[in-house]
């Protein structure tokens, strides 16, 4: 059974923000915990200095590589924790999320932070995937 997105009647509807309040997975064959991904290419080069869209695309590319290495796809991602340096980039994030997840609605926490691991980083995303 694939991940099931649940919208409890007594919680506000989060669907316009492209995430689920609750995600249910029955009988997973594996849980995958993906460390916070940033806009670093495989060779360690920072992609998109000062460019939130370029950084978001690289972060999602890194997430895809990570989950595929464990035997899944982005459709297996049940939860995201998103750290943005500037909450004004939320709309940019939603745009890239809609492209990358194509209808999937993982549970999500999004927070603004004052710093990330490198001064040029604008976003970091951690994920949990459920393999079925």
């Amino acid at each position: 059974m694939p991940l099931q997105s649940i919208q409890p009647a007594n919680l506000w509807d989060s669907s316009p923000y492209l995430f689920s309040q609750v995600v249910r997975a029955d009988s997973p064959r594996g849980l995958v915990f993906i460390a916070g991904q940033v806009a670093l290419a495989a060779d360690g080069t920072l992609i998109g200095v000062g460019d939130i869209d370029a950084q978001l695309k690289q972060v999602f590319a890194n997430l895809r590589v990570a989950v595929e290495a464990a035997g899944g796809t982005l459709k297996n991602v049940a939860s995201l924790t998103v750290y943005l340096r500037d909450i004004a980039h939320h709309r940019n994030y939603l745009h890239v999320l809609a492209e990358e997840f194509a209808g999937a609605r993982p549970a999500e926490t999004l927070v603004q932070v004052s710093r990330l691991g490198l001064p040029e980083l604008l976003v970091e995303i951690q994920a949990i995937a459920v393999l079925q």
Side-chain angles (χ1 to χ4, degrees), residues 1-3 24-32 76 78 128-132:
M1 175 179 192
L3 298 175
R24 178 180 170 155
D26 294 322
S27 302
R29 66 176 167 88
L31 294 175
V32 180
N76 294 107
I128 299 173
V130 178
L131 303 182
Q132 302 195 333

Side-chain angles (χ1 to χ4, degrees), residues 2-3 18 23 32 34-35 37 56-80 93 96-107 125-132:
L3 298 175
L18 306 179
V23 174
V32 180
I34 301 171
Q37 296 298 305
L56 283 163
K57 288 178 183 178
Q58 183 64 44
V59 168
F60 278 104
N62 291 348
L63 285 171
R64 187 179 312 102
V65 167
V67 74
E68 287 175 358
T73 70
L74 288 179
K75 291 182 179 185
N76 294 107
V77 173
S79 179
L80 295 171
Y93 165 73
V96 176
L97 180 70
E99 289 177 358
E100 296 292 337
F101 276 73
R105 300 268 193 273
I125 303 176
Q126 179 182 2
I128 299 173
V130 178
L131 303 182
Q132 302 195 333

Side-chain angles (χ1 to χ4, degrees), residues 10-27:
N10 293 333
L11 291 178
W12 66 276
D13 182 6
S14 60
S15 61
Y17 295 95
L18 306 179
F19 75 92
S20 296
Q21 293 284 2
V22 179
V23 174
R24 178 180 170 155
D26 294 322
S27 302

Side-chain angles (χ1 to χ4, degrees), residues 37-99:
Q37 296 298 305
V38 296
L40 293 177
D43 66 1
T45 303
L46 179 61
I47 304 299
V49 174
D51 182 345
I52 187 61
D53 293 319
Q55 287 199 19
L56 283 163
K57 288 178 183 178
Q58 183 64 44
V59 168
F60 278 104
N62 291 348
L63 285 171
R64 187 179 312 102
V65 167
V67 74
E68 287 175 358
T73 70
L74 288 179
K75 291 182 179 185
N76 294 107
V77 173
S79 179
L80 295 171
T81 303
V82 181
Y83 304 96
L84 288 175
R85 288 275 311 279
D86 185 345
I87 203 70
H89 294 146
H90 183 242
R91 293 281 176 219
N92 303 74
Y93 165 73
L94 288 178
H95 178 72
V96 176
L97 180 70
E99 289 177 358

